[in-house]
């Protein structure tokens, strides 16, 4: 099992993300996730840099593998452009790049005025996008495509890695999980759902790698950790499909008023106790994930990295 660090583009500046990537490597993490957003979930988070620029900078300071968690290659950016961006990232990272994809959220994808499709259409678009990207990464010469959702006219990616990029797909429900099992090279989720993971494996995923990620809120005290988790990431407590359909940070701020500080305290590991941070991984370990990525909420990332380097990661490796 590999333990990685999750870089939150919504909360930290590009310079902070680059520094966190370097610190994660020094601390002994095995890889990086990085989120891909146009907007943050709320104004308290306050950031949302262009992920492809950040990945390029990270490649110059860090040797860890990088996975986008996740990119939506269907509405805001055409899949041919994502294919070029991902190929360049893979070249800069000497092949240590995996493209994590998903059907996206209206929060990020509505900004050009396109209608936000229903989930079945989004899955259909994603499958066609994957076909286009793989053709651009593997075929010699120029690629043309005239499909239901996309057109590509004599396009060729000249800067690309020697091997085709792995595509990992997120699946938070049965339908998306089934598509991931069929078309992707790996699986991504943010819940320790052993049933969905088994569904992925049974429906075509087999022994393909499965990644999961979650957030903690490191702080000197548990009380401060709860406060910052609730203030900055209250949206994480929203149920169902709200995260996919709300169109702006202010809507998430309004909806997050329904999330209580007590529910945040129950669902998020907060504070500085190493054993609590270790135990936060156990549901994902028990579910059978191959790679687990942890993000920090709040301003204490350096102290969090120190705790993980000296206590949390050694204990996780001892158990596994």
């Amino acid at each position: 099992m590999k333990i990685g660090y999750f870089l939150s583009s919504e909360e930290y500046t590009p310079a902070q993300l680059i520094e966190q990537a370097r610190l994660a490597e020094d601390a002994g993490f095995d890889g990086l996730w990085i989120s891909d957003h146009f907007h943050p979930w709320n104004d308290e988070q306050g950031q949302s840099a262009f992920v492809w620029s950040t990945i390029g900078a990270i490649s110059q300071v860090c040797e860890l593998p990088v996975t986008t968690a996740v990119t939506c290659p269907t509405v805001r950016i055409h899949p041919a452009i994502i294919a070029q961006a991902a190929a360049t990232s893979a070249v800069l990272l000497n092949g240590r790049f995996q493209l994590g994809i998903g059907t996206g959220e209206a929060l990020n994808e509505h900004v050009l005025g396109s209608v936000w499709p229903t989930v079945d259409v989004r899955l259909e678009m994603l499958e066609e996008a994957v076909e286009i990207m793989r053709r651009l990464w593997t075929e010699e010469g120029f690629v043309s495509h005239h499909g239901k959702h996309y057109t590509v006219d004599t396009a060729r990616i000249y800067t690309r890695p020697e091997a085709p990029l792995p595509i990992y797909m997120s699946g938070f429900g049965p339908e998306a999980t089934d598509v991931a099992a069929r078309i992707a090279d790996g699986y991504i989720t943010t819940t320790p759902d052993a049933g969905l993971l088994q569904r992925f494996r049974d429906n075509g995923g087999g022994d393909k790698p499965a990644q999961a990620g979650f957030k903690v809120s490191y702080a000197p005290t548990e009380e401060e950790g709860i406060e910052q988790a609730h203030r900055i990431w209250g949206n994480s407590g929203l149920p169902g499909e709200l995260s996919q359909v709300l169109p702006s940070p202010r809507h998430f701020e309004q909806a997050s008023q329904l999330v209580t500080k007590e529910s945040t305290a129950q669902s998020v590991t907060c504070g500085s106790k190493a054993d609590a941070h270790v135990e936060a991984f156990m549901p994902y370990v028990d579910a059978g994930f191959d790679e687990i990525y942890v993000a920090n909420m709040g301003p204490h990332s350096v102290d969090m990295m120190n705790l993980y380097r000296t206590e949390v990661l050694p204990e996780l490796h001892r158990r596994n």
Side-chain angles (χ1 to χ4, degrees):
M1 182 185 67
K2 296 180 179 179
I3 304 297
Y5 187 77
F6 186 178
L7 299 165
S8 296
S9 300
E10 309 95 304
E11 184 180 350
Y12 301 104
T13 67
Q16 288 173 322
L17 295 171
I18 294 161
E19 178 65 5
Q20 287 179 19
R22 187 187 65 78
L23 291 172
E25 184 173 34
D26 291 344
F29 284 97
D30 298 310
L32 298 170
W33 266 12
I34 186 167
S35 55
D36 180 358
H37 272 242
F38 189 90
H39 291 138
W41 298 101
N42 56 57
D43 283 352
E44 188 67 36
Q45 292 168 5
Q47 296 292 327
S48 210
F50 190 56
V51 71
W52 303 105
S53 301
T54 307
I55 291 171
I58 288 171
S59 73
Q60 303 304 295
V61 302
C62 176
E63 296 292 323
L64 293 179
V66 177
T67 304
T68 50
V70 292
T71 290
C72 178
T74 59
V75 178
R76 172 171 47 102
I77 304 180
H78 191 283
I81 307 305
I82 295 294
Q84 184 188 28
T88 300
S89 297
V91 170
L92 284 168
L93 286 158
N94 295 316
R96 302 184 311 277
F97 179 75
Q98 296 159 148
L99 179 63
I101 61 168
T103 56
E105 302 93 13
L107 173 72
N108 302 303
E109 304 305 317
H110 82 283
V111 296
L112 300 182
S114 300
V115 174
W116 184 234
T118 59
V119 64
D120 56 330
V121 174
R122 299 202 306 271
L123 285 168
E124 185 178 85
M125 294 171 72
L126 189 63
E127 188 164 356
E128 186 176 340
V130 168
E131 177 189 352
I132 290 168
M133 292 188 293
R134 285 190 170 136
R135 288 188 63 193
L136 286 166
W137 293 333
T138 59
E139 292 186 14
E140 298 298 332
F142 290 88
V143 171
S144 292
H145 172 92
H146 301 279
K148 182 175 180 180
H149 300 287
Y150 304 107
T151 297
V152 177
D153 183 14
T154 55
R156 180 181 178 186
I157 294 177
Y158 281 82
T159 301
R160 63 189 194 186
E162 293 182 3
L165 280 71
I167 293 178
Y168 287 32
M169 179 179 161
S170 64
F172 302 122
E175 187 177 6
T177 299
D178 289 347
V179 174
R182 179 163 50 81
I183 72 170
D185 303 303
Y187 179 58
I188 287 177
T189 190
T190 56
T191 59
D193 192 323
L196 279 180
L197 177 56
Q198 192 59 51
R199 185 182 183 110
F200 171 78
R201 300 205 184 285
D202 290 344
N203 290 344
D207 60 357
K208 296 175 183 177
Q211 301 178 342
F214 68 100
K215 292 180 175 64
V216 299
S217 182
Y218 180 95
T221 66
E222 185 177 5
E223 292 74 19
E224 182 182 344
I226 293 169
E227 186 281 328
Q228 65 193 21
H230 186 67
R231 173 173 50 84
I232 303 171
W233 285 92
N235 59 281
S236 294
L238 294 175
E241 298 180 22
L242 280 176
S243 64
Q244 297 177 350
V245 299
L246 295 179
S248 77
R250 72 174 181 273
H251 293 109
F252 279 93
E253 289 165 359
Q254 293 165 5
S256 296
Q257 294 176 17
L258 302 173
V259 180
T260 66
K261 188 174 288 188
E262 290 73 23
S263 67
T264 298
Q266 292 174 359
S267 62
V268 180
T269 296
C270 301
S272 60
K273 294 181 179 178
D275 57 347
H277 284 261
V278 170
E279 290 304 317
F281 285 82
M282 291 303 105
Y284 299 88
V285 174
D286 294 341
F289 286 94
D290 304 296
E291 302 178 29
I292 306 170
Y293 293 78
V294 60
N296 188 53
M297 297 181 272
H300 302 293
S301 295
V302 173
D303 292 336
M304 181 264 202
M305 294 282 190
N306 289 333
L307 178 72
Y308 274 63
R309 182 181 66 251
T310 58
E311 299 185 58
V312 176
L313 292 178
E315 176 61 18
L316 289 170
H317 292 314
R318 186 190 69 78
R319 294 192 185 192
N320 293 280

